[in-house]
Structures are given as C-alpha cells and as structure tokens.
Amino acid sequence: DTAVSQTPKYLVTQMGNDKSIKCEQNLGHDTMYWYKQDSKKFLKIMFSYNNKELIINETVPNRFSPKSPDKAHLNLHINSLELGDSAVYFCASRSTGGRNSPLHFGNGTRLTVT
Amino acid sequence: AQSVTQLDSHVSVSEGTPVLLRCNYSSSYSPSLFWYVQHPNKGLQLLLKYTSAATLVKGINGFEAEFKKSETSFHLTKPSAHMSDAAEYFCVVRTTDSWGKLQFGAGTQVVVTP
C-alpha cells in the first residue's frame, strides 16, 4: 500500500532513556515532517526535511534530533526523555511540486514517558 | 502571519442532522485552507482544500466548506451526520513563508448521538 508508515505505534519508556521513532513514505514525496500532538490534541510542527535537508526547525529542545538518510525516510531520535515529551508524534509528507499539495500523515506514535 | 481559529472545541449532533464546524482565518494574502479529520487513534486525513479556484469546496464523505473572504471564514458543513463522522476536525492554513508550513487550529471534537 502507498502510505506514510511510522514505527513503533506505541512507545513506553522511563525518564532519562533515549528512544527513536522511524518514518517511511513510499509516495515519492520530497518533503517530510514531524508533528507533535499534545494531550489537548493541539498539533505543532517540529521539523521538516526537503530532499534530506533540514528546512524547518521550530523551537524544539536539542534533545530531539531528526535524521533523514534519504528522502523517503525521516527518523526522530530523542535523548534524555522527560515526562513532558509524552505525546503523539506524527510523521507526514508532501510533494512541494504543487503549492497546495496536502500533507499525508502516518498513524502516529504514542510516546509515554514514566 | 497566518492563523486559524476554530470557534467550537466540541460539537454534539444527532445522527441525521446537519453538522457545522466553524473556522475563521487570518491572512494578509489569499490563503490556502484545508480541513483534516482525525479518527480515534488514527492519523489525519484530508477532507478538502481551498485553493482560490472556487469558493464552495466539496470534499470526501459528503463534507463541504465555503470560503467567505468578507467574513474571513471557512466553515465546514455536512447536511446529515453519520455515526462514523465522530472524530476530531482541524482547520488548517498554509503559511506564506518559503516552505509553506501548515498552521493547525485547536481542533473541534464532533460527537454524534443516535
């Protein structure tokens, strides 16, 4: 199936640990994103990569480090996890060829830090 | 700067009755506007988008939205709610910076009662 897929779906870990979330899209898009959705459902962009280059880097703690090995993959590594990092993280992609091309979202990774 | 305000955080409707989700936007330019839906434990799915071609935009699942420049609104409607419409709905505007980030509204939770 053509899709944006992210793993794992659920991630439960303790404070201080380091964890990674992976994302892959097979839609042929050139731009990928990480969004964070908090407990109130508010969605905020964290990062965006275009053809493996970082183009958007919002005010995110430097414990969060995205990596894009190729334009079909965008991974998110989080160091020294804190309670406030608990959220649902969504990967998304789009083609920047069309100005109004929509985002395609993965199903999310629910991160719980205890 | 571009932004959207969803006027209702929660809407409850009876099955078979009309649904109205209100969204106002703020933009110095002709905006690109979207509505996304998020079903429980799922990613976000595009319902429809406005790209200045037509002010009345039809989307999937019987939803439509009307762009009204004079009112700076982009309200989402459906004539007859179905139980499967119960979800979180997001109004979204694309920013005019070089990479066209999406700014999400705070979301409206729709509850459909039998």
Side-chain angles (χ1 to χ4, degrees), chain A residues 19-50:
Chain A
K19 290 293 178 185
S20 292
I21 309 172
K22 296 188 175 184
C23 180
E24 175 182 4
Q25 55 93 6
N26 60 2
L27 298 164
H29 292 163
D30 58 357
T31 305
M32 297 184 72
Y33 305 76
W34 279 111
Y35 279 82
K36 179 180 180 181
Q37 186 175 45
D38 63 23
S39 58
K40 291 185 172 17
K41 301 284 188 179
F42 185 69
L43 273 153
K44 187 167 170 54
I45 190 169
M46 300 173 69
F47 302 103
S48 179
Y49 273 72
N50 175 262

Side-chain angles (χ1 to χ4, degrees), chain B residues 69-110:
Chain B
K69 187 174 180 179
S70 60
E71 299 176 11
T72 60
S73 69
F74 190 57
H75 300 337
L76 181 71
T77 59
K78 182 172 180 176
S80 176
H82 192 272
M83 295 298 290
S84 60
D85 294 328
E88 191 87 18
Y89 292 78
F90 294 94
C91 183
V92 186
V93 64
R94 171 155 287 146
T95 65
T96 54
D97 62 35
S98 55
W99 291 105
K101 287 185 302 188
L102 295 188
Q103 291 284 3
F104 282 76
T108 299
Q109 185 182 27
V110 171

Side-chain angles (χ1 to χ4, degrees), chain A residues 4-102:
Chain A
V4 179
S5 57
Q6 49 184 115
T7 55
K9 188 174 173 68
Y10 299 97
L11 187 51
V12 181
T13 188
Q14 291 184 323
M15 283 175 57
N17 285 347
D18 304 337
K19 290 293 178 185
S20 292
I21 309 172
K22 296 188 175 184
C23 180
E24 175 182 4
Q25 55 93 6
N26 60 2
L27 298 164
H29 292 163
D30 58 357
T31 305
M32 297 184 72
Y33 305 76
W34 279 111
Y35 279 82
K36 179 180 180 181
Q37 186 175 45
D38 63 23
S39 58
K40 291 185 172 17
K41 301 284 188 179
F42 185 69
L43 273 153
K44 187 167 170 54
I45 190 169
M46 300 173 69
F47 302 103
S48 179
Y49 273 72
N50 175 262
N51 285 320
K52 303 193 297 177
E53 287 194 32
L54 182 66
I55 56 170
I56 296 173
N57 185 352
E58 296 294 290
T59 308
V60 177
N62 58 15
R63 297 182 294 103
F64 289 78
S65 51
K67 281 192 172 50
S68 182
D70 56 61
K71 69 176 189 176
H73 295 83
L74 180 61
N75 303 322
L76 184 64
H77 188 76
I78 315 170
N79 288 327
S80 303
L81 278 155
E82 299 177 357
L83 293 177
D85 298 332
S86 295
V88 182
Y89 293 84
F90 285 99
C91 178
S93 71
R94 68 183 275 253
S95 170
T96 52
R99 179 175 176 267
N100 296 306
S101 58

